[in-house]
Amino acid sequence: MTPSASPITLAKPPIALSAACFVSSFDRFAVTPMLVLIAVDLNVPFATAVAVASGYFLAYGLSQPLWGVLSDRFGRLRVMRTALVGAALTGLASALMPELGTLVVARIVAGACFGAVIPTSLTYVGDTVEVSVRQRALSDLMGVMALATATATGIGGLLGDLTGWRVVFTVPALCALVCALALRGVPEPPRARIGGLGRHVGTVLRRPWALLVFALAFVEGAVLLGTMAFLATALQHQGISTAVAGLGTATYGIGVWLFSRLVMRLSRGWPVWLLITAGGAQMCAGYAIVAAQVSVATVTISALVLGGGWSFMHSSLQTWATSVVPQARGTTVAFFAASLFVGGAASSWAAGPLAEDGSYPLLFGLAAAVAVPLTVVAALSRRRYGLLPAEGASGQPQ
């Protein structure tokens, strides 16, 4: 522990911490409904404007391990406050950029800064909330993030339609600055001194099961996070307003919130591999719906179903990641998160030309097709992992 530090015991996340998670999630999901507006305003092809989102997602993912190391070294809240100030400055800079190149750079830095908030918040809960009520505290944070997702795609789209994309980037930037100030009143938890970081990384990367989980996270990010970003743009391509397109995709956040409650109940009796199967089936069905026809109704239903897919599959893979190398859990979770968001960034970049051509049925059909082997490999692998005997120091499969 740090010198003269006293343990902190909380029953739920501090309000300022929850607010920071809301702002970070809002900024991450608000960008995709803005892509068409950015392309028109800056007079660039849509496929080129996609770099605003893919660059953000890539930086958001690649920064995860760095923030984990820094929070262990300098403290959770100190790192989060610094990152939020950086996010505020680069968010405001984004709103002022006159051309695409500098806008992409600003959004990349903003993504890297906002990337500190969610993993550091989850770690803070682990540091301060008793095990007996920690699941509920983490569920509270997940609920906040789901609400931010729905708000970003719904109200963010409406705000962009009424005021322009620059205002949408300004609002979370100002809120990030407020959160940084509010976190000054939140106590810093004690933390263990870290040592042998290189050894931890080596331990994780030498575990085949860990590498498999990272690969699954990469594909999941590509299928869900990267491709889902084009649901709103598919509607905009048909001439539907940004506001209506955003409201249609806002059901994703509602789906995450609703289905996560269901997962909490089913997880008491269902094996993990079955939860993964259910999540993969929803992902496949969600994309199949919009591959058949793109309309406000199908996008709304698809987004809701994809929210269920995320709740079932991602929560299962994330739990698996926390147990696969328990002696280096922080490092493992950081690499898991990085794999997820890098997969989303790669997918959104690769899908840009298809979206530019309006080939959305093909794009969504490919996502549905890739969801099938992802689900099969993830479910069978998790079932096999659960049948293994205890692995001693490397943890006990569940």
Side-chain angles (χ1 to χ4, degrees), residues 32-99:
T32 51
M34 300 301 109
L35 294 179
V36 171
L37 298 179
I38 291 172
V40 172
D41 185 46
L42 299 183
N43 194 28
V44 297
F46 176 77
T48 305
V50 168
V52 175
S54 58
Y56 183 102
F57 297 150
L58 183 64
Y60 194 100
L62 291 177
S63 67
Q64 304 287 311
L66 173 63
W67 293 123
V69 171
L70 292 177
S71 71
D72 280 338
R73 176 66 178 84
F74 297 106
R76 318 300 184 204
L77 295 172
R78 184 177 178 184
V79 164
M80 198 183 306
R81 289 195 301 267
T82 302
L84 283 168
V85 171
L89 295 176
T90 52
L92 291 173
S94 300
L96 299 175
M97 291 305 170
E99 52 92 23

Side-chain angles (χ1 to χ4, degrees), residues 246-320:
L247 289 172
T249 56
T251 54
Y252 171 77
I254 298 173
V256 172
W257 189 85
L258 290 175
F259 284 104
S260 64
R261 268 56 188 168
L262 179 60
V263 171
M264 289 177 61
R265 294 188 177 186
L266 294 178
S267 61
R268 300 171 186 170
W270 285 27
V272 180
W273 66 267
L274 189 54
L275 294 173
I276 291 174
T277 302
Q282 290 176 85
M283 290 167 59
C284 185
Y287 283 123
I289 291 171
V290 284
Q293 181 182 8
V294 175
S295 66
V296 174
T298 58
V299 166
T300 300
I301 296 171
S302 174
L304 181 67
V305 175
L306 290 174
W310 173 266
S311 299
F312 276 82
M313 177 173 281
H314 182 70
S315 63
S316 302
L317 293 180
Q318 190 172 55
T319 302
W320 190 5

Side-chain angles (χ1 to χ4, degrees), residues 4-396:
S4 65
S6 301
I8 299 171
T9 303
L10 302 175
K12 59 182 181 179
I15 294 177
L17 198 76
S18 297
C21 288
F22 182 96
V23 173
S24 176
S25 296
F26 181 97
D27 192 76
R28 177 157 58 93
F29 280 94
V31 64
T32 51
M34 300 301 109
L35 294 179
V36 171
L37 298 179
I38 291 172
V40 172
D41 185 46
L42 299 183
N43 194 28
V44 297
F46 176 77
T48 305
V50 168
V52 175
S54 58
Y56 183 102
F57 297 150
L58 183 64
Y60 194 100
L62 291 177
S63 67
Q64 304 287 311
L66 173 63
W67 293 123
V69 171
L70 292 177
S71 71
D72 280 338
R73 176 66 178 84
F74 297 106
R76 318 300 184 204
L77 295 172
R78 184 177 178 184
V79 164
M80 198 183 306
R81 289 195 301 267
T82 302
L84 283 168
V85 171
L89 295 176
T90 52
L92 291 173
S94 300
L96 299 175
M97 291 305 170
E99 52 92 23
L100 185 66
T102 52
L103 173 61
V104 171
V105 171
R107 294 312 294 168
I108 287 174
V109 181
C113 291
F114 271 120
V117 176
I118 301 300
T120 308
S121 297
L122 296 176
T123 305
Y124 185 93
V125 170
D127 291 340
T128 59
V129 178
E130 294 286 350
V131 176
S132 58
V133 293
R134 188 175 300 164
Q135 181 63 49
R136 179 174 295 180
L138 290 173
S139 295
D140 286 343
L141 280 183
M142 293 298 292
V144 167
M145 289 182 272
L147 178 61
T149 301
T151 304
T153 52
I155 297 179
L158 178 61
L159 186 63
D161 225 19
L162 294 175
T163 63
W165 60 270
R166 298 180 188 276
V167 174
V168 176
F169 288 162
T170 301
V171 171
L174 295 176
C175 291
L177 188 58
V178 173
C179 289
L181 295 174
L183 286 171
R184 292 170 62 89
V186 177
E188 180 74 56
R191 62 190 186 280
R193 294 290 188 184
I194 61 172
L197 178 62
R199 184 181 304 172
H200 273 207
V201 172
T203 298
V204 171
L205 296 182
R206 284 193 297 267
R207 293 294 172 85
W209 283 113
L211 296 179
L212 173 63
V213 173
F214 300 156
L216 293 172
F218 180 91
V219 179
E220 182 197 27
V223 171
L224 194 58
L225 297 183
T227 308
M228 190 187 66
F230 295 98
L231 287 178
T233 60
L235 292 176
Q236 291 170 300
H237 205 94
Q238 296 182 347
I240 294 172
S241 69
T242 304
V244 174
L247 289 172
T249 56
T251 54
Y252 171 77
I254 298 173
V256 172
W257 189 85
L258 290 175
F259 284 104
S260 64
R261 268 56 188 168
L262 179 60
V263 171
M264 289 177 61
R265 294 188 177 186
L266 294 178
S267 61
R268 300 171 186 170
W270 285 27
V272 180
W273 66 267
L274 189 54
L275 294 173
I276 291 174
T277 302
Q282 290 176 85
M283 290 167 59
C284 185
Y287 283 123
I289 291 171
V290 284
Q293 181 182 8
V294 175
S295 66
V296 174
T298 58
V299 166
T300 300
I301 296 171
S302 174
L304 181 67
V305 175
L306 290 174
W310 173 266
S311 299
F312 276 82
M313 177 173 281
H314 182 70
S315 63
S316 302
L317 293 180
Q318 190 172 55
T319 302
W320 190 5
T322 63
S323 67
V324 71
V325 190
Q327 70 270 37
R329 182 173 287 115
T331 303
T332 306
V333 172
F335 275 100
F336 174 84
S339 300
L340 179 77
F341 290 109
V342 170
S347 175
S348 63
W349 173 79
L354 288 177
E356 174 73 18
D357 294 338
S359 302
Y360 290 103
L362 175 59
L363 172 58
F364 297 137
L366 289 173
V370 174
V372 175
L374 167 65
T375 303
V376 172
V377 173
L380 292 180
S381 300
R382 187 58 181 84
R383 186 172 186 273
R384 181 182 177 189
Y385 179 80
L387 295 174
L388 292 175
E391 297 181 340
S394 64
Q396 189 176 34

